[in-house]
Amino acid sequence: MNRTVLLWLTIGLVSFLILPWYVIEDGFWGLEWLVDGYPLDPDYGPAWSQIMTGGKVWLSPIPLFLLLPFATWGRPKTDPLYSRILLISGMGGLGYILLQAFTIGIAGWEFLVLESLFDPIDRQYGMGYGGLLVSAAFLFMITQGVAARGVINGDVFVVSSIGLISAIVVMFIFFPVSRILISALQDNEGLYSVVAFTSKISHYKIWGLGCLTSNVGCGAAWNSLFLAITVGLTTTALGLVFALLATRSGFKHRKLLRALTVLPIITPPFVIGLSLILLFGVSGVVTQFVGDLIGVTPGRWLYGMPGILLAQLLAFTPIAFLVMIGVVEGISPSMEEAAQTLRADRWRTFTTVSLPLMRPGLANAFLLGFIESMADFGNPLVLGGDYDVLSTEIFFAIVGAQNDQGMAGVLALVLLGFTLSAFFIQRRWLGKKSYTTVTGKGDSGFHSALPNRLKWPIYGIAGSWTAFTIVIYCMIMFGGFVEVWGLDHSLTFKHYITAFSVDFGEHGILWEGSAWNSFWTTITIATIAAPLTAGLGLLTAYVLVRQKFRGHDIFEFGTMLSFAIPGTIIGVSYILAFNVPPIELTGTGAILVLCFIFRNMPVGVRAGVAAMSQLDKSLDEASLTLGANSFYTFRKVVLPLLRPAILAALVYSFVRAMTAISAVIFLVSAEYDMATSYIIGRVENNDYGLAIAYCSILILVMLSAVSIFQFLVGDRRLGRRSQSPAKSPAQQSPPNTEEKFA
Amino acid sequence: MKIYKLMLTTAIGVVVAMGFGTGPAAAKGKLNYYCSAQEDWCQLMAKGFEKETGIKVNMSRKSSGETFAQIKAESRNPKGDVWWGGTGDPHLQAAEEGLTEPYVTPIRGELNGWAISQAKSADDKTIGIYSGALGYGYNADVLKQNNLPVPACWKDLLKPVYKGHVQMANPNSSGTAYTTLATIVQLFGEEEGFEFMKGLHKNINQYTKSGSAPIKAAARGENTIGIVFLHDAVKQAVKGFPIVAVAPCEGTGYEIGSMSIIKGSRNMEEAKKFYDFALRADIQSRALEVKAFQVPSNKAAKTSPKAPKLADIKLIDYDFKKYGSSSERKRLLKKWDDEVKSLAK
């Protein structure tokens, strides 16, 4: 019998016999259950005691499914019966657990039909350690069974990865989101109605074209679409500019550039909006200055499309940069050298060789920019003016005076339609071409320097953008040290003291500041979420790029879906889905962690896919030929080459966990309050000083976190490319130093 | 076995993540408190209650719309116990949808008439804790810079000189703006009221999403006149911004900030204790510590001389029952969308 099958069987049986089956009231780590009536207490009992003494008779078929795999004892993997037994056990077990969990809830029967057919039944709570681990054991029985049938060359690692990812994507994305999309089809009384749906989806607030003919606003759908395309194109271009500057221009302070481009993503969005207002608003510094200079004061141009665009460019260019830099770095100098040997000049080489090889990066950067803009919530809220976009409309359909969840569902459908179309167009544009540039073959060249006609524009654009970013951040830092920003500019530390004062009492340090509680929660949750997000994202990317299997496209779509859904929808749908059994999560820290993992995983996937499509499959094949299995290959060959992608995923997920707003606002609880929700409270109260002081501290924390991640992950070494390409040959280190370190 | 390490780690990670922290507990002496007023006021109430009773308070602060959405989403398995603060409409709506629990406090006699009539209109499922009149505030500096006259009435805001100088929130997203719409309709009658809104539309520079945003923008010079609750305007003035609050001469409507006990609360005793606590005069007087200038519902509670006095303001007889009901709300909002918002400026 296979050892992995045995391992999971043991886990399953142990969980069934020993661990509490249901959720424990005082938390996952609370060990009180061990001394408080276990195993016979109905609150803490494992499954067998629930069946015997707790009255939960419907759990009794589960051990049958758990014992079934022992029938494979002594059978070879190739025996068709072997895989059949495992499949029956896994599917039957998992299916039965889900069936009982969804039909019997906290009030007994969940459906009226069942209530009328059967006698009343005992209630049950959400699944705890026991229930979850037994389900996991069944899941891996299925994957073992599928692999044994020879699917994907019988590769257990790949099949299990696909199984695991699919299961959790279904559980944490499809299941909650379907709950809210169903509401799109319901009218105000909760009845299904086609009429209500059609009247909502064709509403002029969504599709109106008034802005073309008069000065009435256009529909939110057109506004969002126009904004997202502009943001996608511009951030991609700016990201490319910065990536070229960082890798090919001999620019001395690349580290600084990295830090600076990372700044905007580690800034809670309200703050960028506020500092833009203080610069360019009606009474802004720049506005007044221009007014004095030319005698005409610029009006309210900032409020509306231009303001949102500006703020989103500041916020999302770094994401494009993070995606682009991995790709630009990865392009093999050999190809460029070949082009130049064939007498192409540097401009021609750039446009016909380098740029086309960057297509995966360009496409992914655009897609991320497009989707980010579509789902962005903070910037339109502060700077939107009368320019309505889908994300804010959804938020206010739910929490606004209208209270129309159905409308929110409809708007979410429209938004989802846009992002999915962008996704498919991107795939078509990339086509089936090969973008492989990192191969196992000898590769010791340098990137060619930029052609001159590109070099100066790039310096110009990057320089002015950087200067702009610096000004914005000076404004922000300044805002934390003045009494009342925009009114009384006498310097003070009082905001920092209110938020972060520390006192030394007789029991050690007293965290007196009002922000400490949310601060520690935020850091803990971000630290837990980041590595999980990166791991899950890269595993998914590996499966997507390297493996061909049926349902590949659907699988890819599923993993990208959560990113296309605005946070508000995720937030409300998580409450709807996880407030009741079988999975009870509201009010815990876990729901925040899970929300972040599934919100941010697509970035890890995209970065991984972009980087991995550059790696020649022959590298994997060489490893496999030499007898390594696919997991070993993934770990020793693929992962080290993916370091930039890993870094991007880690940084992004950590940072987003600290700065996300729209989903979080529904999921925070008294015990688990997050930094952003605390900051919103302050901004709502017009307490900008305190909000900004908090943000400044968060920015520092995130900057150090980014450096720590950078240190832990390390650099990828590709030939000699990590050295500066523009150094003169005399300055170059001897060619063999690299080998010594490698 | 190595091939499982990564997946095991991921699987364990997810399980660990799911268990991170504590689940909802129903231990004795605990109160889950949803607060929809300003943060420092919420804190003050929570700390004060904790100190007096020793009951541990778990507070979460969200706007009244967000809290209502959350209570509705959680209705099958309620997590909150008491909901304090925020404008009265969502509280009335929660009562209408059966999300809150009726309760009659023993100290009801100490309260102002409007607080009790709020309770009566919702079958005792909610009660008034403070109230504030609607009006507008202007930035005196910006007004002077633009050589504009000082407005005193609602109808003044229709004058063409104010074009591009008035801001209000969108009634679809903000309770404040909905109160404005309902006030105008009750003050001038529906037909003339909508004519007023159409005229106002021409002068509006932006419909904000949040209710108090217009006065905050005015405080920072980004706007001239903001239609808001007077206590919000007074608050900006007290902070030192050049804001002047105006109670319109024709009369005006008001909001009743409310409190409700959530139906199916797991700590009903504690919730009722808090309910009585929050209505006491000495507790309501403490609002001044956090510069909350609303009018308290307890007759004996202290008020600030800076606070707008309801007695000095011409208040209309605001029909909370009618204009708080979801059908009337949907009708007015749709009419506003179709007839006002869609007009060219």
PDB file of all heavy atoms in Angstrom, chain B residues 27-49:
ATOM      1  N   ALA B  27     -19.351  33.797  26.636  1.00  0.00           N
ATOM      2  CA  ALA B  27     -19.062  33.790  28.066  1.00  0.00           C
ATOM      3  C   ALA B  27     -19.846  34.885  28.763  1.00  0.00           C
ATOM      4  O   ALA B  27     -20.330  35.823  28.146  1.00  0.00           O
ATOM      5  CB  ALA B  27     -17.575  33.993  28.291  1.00  0.00           C
ATOM      6  N   LYS B  28     -19.967  34.764  30.075  1.00  0.00           N
ATOM      7  CA  LYS B  28     -20.721  35.746  30.853  1.00  0.00           C
ATOM      8  C   LYS B  28     -19.968  37.056  30.953  1.00  0.00           C
ATOM      9  O   LYS B  28     -18.750  37.084  30.945  1.00  0.00           O
ATOM     10  CB  LYS B  28     -20.978  35.191  32.252  1.00  0.00           C
ATOM     11  CG  LYS B  28     -22.454  34.896  32.483  1.00  0.00           C
ATOM     12  CD  LYS B  28     -22.709  34.543  33.926  1.00  0.00           C
ATOM     13  CE  LYS B  28     -24.190  34.279  34.132  1.00  0.00           C
ATOM     14  NZ  LYS B  28     -24.446  33.802  35.478  1.00  0.00           N
ATOM     15  N   GLY B  29     -20.709  38.145  31.082  1.00  0.00           N
ATOM     16  CA  GLY B  29     -20.053  39.424  31.266  1.00  0.00           C
ATOM     17  C   GLY B  29     -19.337  39.924  30.037  1.00  0.00           C
ATOM     18  O   GLY B  29     -18.202  40.349  30.115  1.00  0.00           O
ATOM     19  N   LYS B  30     -19.988  39.851  28.890  1.00  0.00           N
ATOM     20  CA  LYS B  30     -19.350  40.278  27.658  1.00  0.00           C
ATOM     21  C   LYS B  30     -20.402  40.965  26.793  1.00  0.00           C
ATOM     22  O   LYS B  30     -21.565  40.572  26.810  1.00  0.00           O
ATOM     23  CB  LYS B  30     -18.810  39.047  26.958  1.00  0.00           C
ATOM     24  CG  LYS B  30     -17.961  39.338  25.764  1.00  0.00           C
ATOM     25  CD  LYS B  30     -17.345  38.043  25.281  1.00  0.00           C
ATOM     26  CE  LYS B  30     -16.750  38.238  23.920  1.00  0.00           C
ATOM     27  NZ  LYS B  30     -16.166  37.021  23.413  1.00  0.00           N
ATOM     28  N   LEU B  31     -19.990  42.015  26.065  1.00  0.00           N
ATOM     29  CA  LEU B  31     -20.946  42.734  25.235  1.00  0.00           C
ATOM     30  C   LEU B  31     -20.317  43.047  23.885  1.00  0.00           C
ATOM     31  O   LEU B  31     -19.240  43.635  23.818  1.00  0.00           O
ATOM     32  CB  LEU B  31     -21.365  44.046  25.915  1.00  0.00           C
ATOM     33  CG  LEU B  31     -22.378  44.891  25.142  1.00  0.00           C
ATOM     34  CD1 LEU B  31     -23.770  44.317  25.269  1.00  0.00           C
ATOM     35  CD2 LEU B  31     -22.363  46.327  25.622  1.00  0.00           C
ATOM     36  N   ASN B  32     -20.976  42.627  22.808  1.00  0.00           N
ATOM     37  CA  ASN B  32     -20.515  42.989  21.479  1.00  0.00           C
ATOM     38  C   ASN B  32     -21.277  44.223  21.019  1.00  0.00           C
ATOM     39  O   ASN B  32     -22.483  44.169  20.799  1.00  0.00           O
ATOM     40  CB  ASN B  32     -20.719  41.833  20.505  1.00  0.00           C
ATOM     41  CG  ASN B  32     -19.811  40.690  20.835  1.00  0.00           C
ATOM     42  OD1 ASN B  32     -18.591  40.845  20.906  1.00  0.00           O
ATOM     43  ND2 ASN B  32     -20.390  39.524  21.096  1.00  0.00           N
ATOM     44  N   TYR B  33     -20.534  45.296  20.892  1.00  0.00           N
ATOM     45  CA  TYR B  33     -21.119  46.618  20.777  1.00  0.00           C
ATOM     46  C   TYR B  33     -20.806  47.172  19.396  1.00  0.00           C
ATOM     47  O   TYR B  33     -19.644  47.342  19.048  1.00  0.00           O
ATOM     48  CB  TYR B  33     -20.506  47.439  21.918  1.00  0.00           C
ATOM     49  CG  TYR B  33     -20.538  48.927  21.866  1.00  0.00           C
ATOM     50  CD1 TYR B  33     -21.716  49.621  21.667  1.00  0.00           C
ATOM     51  CD2 TYR B  33     -19.372  49.646  22.094  1.00  0.00           C
ATOM     52  CE1 TYR B  33     -21.707  51.001  21.665  1.00  0.00           C
ATOM     53  CE2 TYR B  33     -19.365  51.026  22.109  1.00  0.00           C
ATOM     54  CZ  TYR B  33     -20.537  51.701  21.892  1.00  0.00           C
ATOM     55  OH  TYR B  33     -20.529  53.068  21.901  1.00  0.00           O
ATOM     56  N   TYR B  34     -21.834  47.367  18.576  1.00  0.00           N
ATOM     57  CA  TYR B  34     -21.660  47.989  17.261  1.00  0.00           C
ATOM     58  C   TYR B  34     -21.930  49.473  17.417  1.00  0.00           C
ATOM     59  O   TYR B  34     -22.988  49.867  17.903  1.00  0.00           O
ATOM     60  CB  TYR B  34     -22.650  47.419  16.242  1.00  0.00           C
ATOM     61  CG  TYR B  34     -22.376  45.992  15.817  1.00  0.00           C
ATOM     62  CD1 TYR B  34     -23.279  45.304  15.018  1.00  0.00           C
ATOM     63  CD2 TYR B  34     -21.209  45.343  16.195  1.00  0.00           C
ATOM     64  CE1 TYR B  34     -23.038  44.003  14.611  1.00  0.00           C
ATOM     65  CE2 TYR B  34     -20.949  44.040  15.794  1.00  0.00           C
ATOM     66  CZ  TYR B  34     -21.872  43.379  15.014  1.00  0.00           C
ATOM     67  OH  TYR B  34     -21.627  42.099  14.608  1.00  0.00           O
ATOM     68  N   CYS B  35     -20.982  50.275  16.970  1.00  0.00           N
ATOM     69  CA  CYS B  35     -21.120  51.706  17.174  1.00  0.00           C
ATOM     70  C   CYS B  35     -21.064  52.435  15.848  1.00  0.00           C
ATOM     71  O   CYS B  35     -20.216  52.146  15.017  1.00  0.00           O
ATOM     72  CB  CYS B  35     -20.003  52.196  18.094  1.00  0.00           C
ATOM     73  SG  CYS B  35     -20.161  53.925  18.500  1.00  0.00           S
ATOM     74  N   SER B  36     -21.977  53.370  15.622  1.00  0.00           N
ATOM     75  CA  SER B  36     -22.003  54.108  14.361  1.00  0.00           C
ATOM     76  C   SER B  36     -21.836  55.606  14.561  1.00  0.00           C
ATOM     77  O   SER B  36     -22.179  56.389  13.691  1.00  0.00           O
ATOM     78  CB  SER B  36     -23.307  53.842  13.607  1.00  0.00           C
ATOM     79  OG  SER B  36     -23.479  52.471  13.401  1.00  0.00           O
ATOM     80  N   ALA B  37     -21.333  56.019  15.715  1.00  0.00           N
ATOM     81  CA  ALA B  37     -21.052  57.437  15.901  1.00  0.00           C
ATOM     82  C   ALA B  37     -19.560  57.667  15.667  1.00  0.00           C
ATOM     83  O   ALA B  37     -18.861  56.775  15.201  1.00  0.00           O
ATOM     84  CB  ALA B  37     -21.440  57.860  17.308  1.00  0.00           C
ATOM     85  N   GLN B  38     -19.075  58.852  15.988  1.00  0.00           N
ATOM     86  CA  GLN B  38     -17.645  59.107  15.785  1.00  0.00           C
ATOM     87  C   GLN B  38     -16.812  58.245  16.732  1.00  0.00           C
ATOM     88  O   GLN B  38     -17.224  57.952  17.853  1.00  0.00           O
ATOM     89  CB  GLN B  38     -17.358  60.593  15.986  1.00  0.00           C
ATOM     90  CG  GLN B  38     -17.576  61.054  17.417  1.00  0.00           C
ATOM     91  CD  GLN B  38     -17.715  62.555  17.535  1.00  0.00           C
ATOM     92  OE1 GLN B  38     -18.527  63.163  16.855  1.00  0.00           O
ATOM     93  NE2 GLN B  38     -16.906  63.153  18.389  1.00  0.00           N
ATOM     94  N   GLU B  39     -15.633  57.869  16.253  1.00  0.00           N
ATOM     95  CA  GLU B  39     -14.766  56.919  16.958  1.00  0.00           C
ATOM     96  C   GLU B  39     -14.551  57.230  18.441  1.00  0.00           C
ATOM     97  O   GLU B  39     -14.738  56.382  19.309  1.00  0.00           O
ATOM     98  CB  GLU B  39     -13.420  56.862  16.218  1.00  0.00           C
ATOM     99  CG  GLU B  39     -12.345  56.069  16.928  1.00  0.00           C
ATOM    100  CD  GLU B  39     -12.305  54.613  16.508  1.00  0.00           C
ATOM    101  OE1 GLU B  39     -12.792  54.296  15.419  1.00  0.00           O
ATOM    102  OE2 GLU B  39     -11.788  53.811  17.291  1.00  0.00           O
ATOM    103  N   ASP B  40     -14.168  58.499  18.740  1.00  0.00           N
ATOM    104  CA  ASP B  40     -13.814  58.779  20.138  1.00  0.00           C
ATOM    105  C   ASP B  40     -15.040  58.710  21.057  1.00  0.00           C
ATOM    106  O   ASP B  40     -14.937  58.331  22.214  1.00  0.00           O
ATOM    107  CB  ASP B  40     -13.071  60.118  20.283  1.00  0.00           C
ATOM    108  CG  ASP B  40     -13.655  61.201  19.405  1.00  0.00           C
ATOM    109  OD1 ASP B  40     -14.699  60.950  18.772  1.00  0.00           O
ATOM    110  OD2 ASP B  40     -13.083  62.300  19.351  1.00  0.00           O
ATOM    111  N   TRP B  41     -16.204  59.039  20.510  1.00  0.00           N
ATOM    112  CA  TRP B  41     -17.433  58.931  21.294  1.00  0.00           C
ATOM    113  C   TRP B  41     -17.737  57.459  21.588  1.00  0.00           C
ATOM    114  O   TRP B  41     -18.106  57.082  22.709  1.00  0.00           O
ATOM    115  CB  TRP B  41     -18.594  59.605  20.536  1.00  0.00           C
ATOM    116  CG  TRP B  41     -19.752  59.987  21.387  1.00  0.00           C
ATOM    117  CD1 TRP B  41     -19.883  59.805  22.729  1.00  0.00           C
ATOM    118  CD2 TRP B  41     -20.957  60.607  20.952  1.00  0.00           C
ATOM    119  NE1 TRP B  41     -21.095  60.282  23.152  1.00  0.00           N
ATOM    120  CE2 TRP B  41     -21.772  60.782  22.073  1.00  0.00           C
ATOM    121  CE3 TRP B  41     -21.427  61.042  19.698  1.00  0.00           C
ATOM    122  CZ2 TRP B  41     -23.032  61.364  21.994  1.00  0.00           C
ATOM    123  CZ3 TRP B  41     -22.678  61.619  19.611  1.00  0.00           C
ATOM    124  CH2 TRP B  41     -23.475  61.786  20.764  1.00  0.00           C
ATOM    125  N   CYS B  42     -17.569  56.630  20.559  1.00  0.00           N
ATOM    126  CA  CYS B  42     -17.771  55.184  20.720  1.00  0.00           C
ATOM    127  C   CYS B  42     -16.865  54.644  21.818  1.00  0.00           C
ATOM    128  O   CYS B  42     -17.292  53.893  22.694  1.00  0.00           O
ATOM    129  CB  CYS B  42     -17.443  54.463  19.420  1.00  0.00           C
ATOM    130  SG  CYS B  42     -18.544  54.847  18.069  1.00  0.00           S
ATOM    131  N   GLN B  43     -15.582  55.042  21.756  1.00  0.00           N
ATOM    132  CA  GLN B  43     -14.603  54.587  22.743  1.00  0.00           C
ATOM    133  C   GLN B  43     -15.020  55.006  24.150  1.00  0.00           C
ATOM    134  O   GLN B  43     -14.956  54.216  25.092  1.00  0.00           O
ATOM    135  CB  GLN B  43     -13.227  55.222  22.461  1.00  0.00           C
ATOM    136  CG  GLN B  43     -12.581  54.747  21.195  1.00  0.00           C
ATOM    137  CD  GLN B  43     -11.819  53.456  21.395  1.00  0.00           C
ATOM    138  OE1 GLN B  43     -11.893  52.830  22.453  1.00  0.00           O
ATOM    139  NE2 GLN B  43     -11.094  53.053  20.364  1.00  0.00           N
ATOM    140  N   LEU B  44     -15.443  56.271  24.241  1.00  0.00           N
ATOM    141  CA  LEU B  44     -15.842  56.813  25.534  1.00  0.00           C
ATOM    142  C   LEU B  44     -16.973  55.988  26.153  1.00  0.00           C
ATOM    143  O   LEU B  44     -16.931  55.634  27.337  1.00  0.00           O
ATOM    144  CB  LEU B  44     -16.284  58.258  25.329  1.00  0.00           C
ATOM    145  CG  LEU B  44     -16.626  59.048  26.581  1.00  0.00           C
ATOM    146  CD1 LEU B  44     -15.348  59.583  27.210  1.00  0.00           C
ATOM    147  CD2 LEU B  44     -17.555  60.204  26.246  1.00  0.00           C
ATOM    148  N   MET B  45     -17.966  55.653  25.336  1.00  0.00           N
ATOM    149  CA  MET B  45     -19.095  54.861  25.822  1.00  0.00           C
ATOM    150  C   MET B  45     -18.630  53.472  26.252  1.00  0.00           C
ATOM    151  O   MET B  45     -19.008  52.962  27.304  1.00  0.00           O
ATOM    152  CB  MET B  45     -20.157  54.721  24.721  1.00  0.00           C
ATOM    153  CG  MET B  45     -20.878  55.989  24.347  1.00  0.00           C
ATOM    154  SD  MET B  45     -21.841  56.671  25.702  1.00  0.00           S
ATOM    155  CE  MET B  45     -23.120  55.431  25.872  1.00  0.00           C
ATOM    156  N   ALA B  46     -17.790  52.851  25.422  1.00  0.00           N
ATOM    157  CA  ALA B  46     -17.334  51.494  25.715  1.00  0.00           C
ATOM    158  C   ALA B  46     -16.529  51.464  27.015  1.00  0.00           C
ATOM    159  O   ALA B  46     -16.789  50.656  27.909  1.00  0.00           O
ATOM    160  CB  ALA B  46     -16.488  50.968  24.556  1.00  0.00           C
ATOM    161  N   LYS B  47     -15.558  52.373  27.111  1.00  0.00           N
ATOM    162  CA  LYS B  47     -14.692  52.406  28.298  1.00  0.00           C
ATOM    163  C   LYS B  47     -15.509  52.718  29.546  1.00  0.00           C
ATOM    164  O   LYS B  47     -15.305  52.109  30.600  1.00  0.00           O
ATOM    165  CB  LYS B  47     -13.597  53.466  28.116  1.00  0.00           C
ATOM    166  CG  LYS B  47     -12.651  53.158  26.964  1.00  0.00           C
ATOM    167  CD  LYS B  47     -11.287  52.723  27.470  1.00  0.00           C
ATOM    168  CE  LYS B  47     -10.480  52.025  26.390  1.00  0.00           C
ATOM    169  NZ  LYS B  47      -9.952  52.950  25.391  1.00  0.00           N
ATOM    170  N   GLY B  48     -16.434  53.671  29.419  1.00  0.00           N
ATOM    171  CA  GLY B  48     -17.245  54.065  30.552  1.00  0.00           C
ATOM    172  C   GLY B  48     -18.081  52.903  31.076  1.00  0.00           C
ATOM    173  O   GLY B  48     -18.155  52.667  32.273  1.00  0.00           O
ATOM    174  N   PHE B  49     -18.675  52.157  30.143  1.00  0.00           N
ATOM    175  CA  PHE B  49     -19.525  51.032  30.527  1.00  0.00           C
ATOM    176  C   PHE B  49     -18.682  49.929  31.170  1.00  0.00           C
ATOM    177  O   PHE B  49     -19.045  49.350  32.186  1.00  0.00           O
ATOM    178  CB  PHE B  49     -20.248  50.496  29.286  1.00  0.00           C
ATOM    179  CG  PHE B  49     -21.232  49.410  29.578  1.00  0.00           C
ATOM    180  CD1 PHE B  49     -22.361  49.658  30.346  1.00  0.00           C
ATOM    181  CD2 PHE B  49     -21.043  48.129  29.078  1.00  0.00           C
ATOM    182  CE1 PHE B  49     -23.280  48.653  30.609  1.00  0.00           C
ATOM    183  CE2 PHE B  49     -21.956  47.117  29.340  1.00  0.00           C
ATOM    184  CZ  PHE B  49     -23.075  47.379  30.109  1.00  0.00           C
TER     185      PHE B  49
END
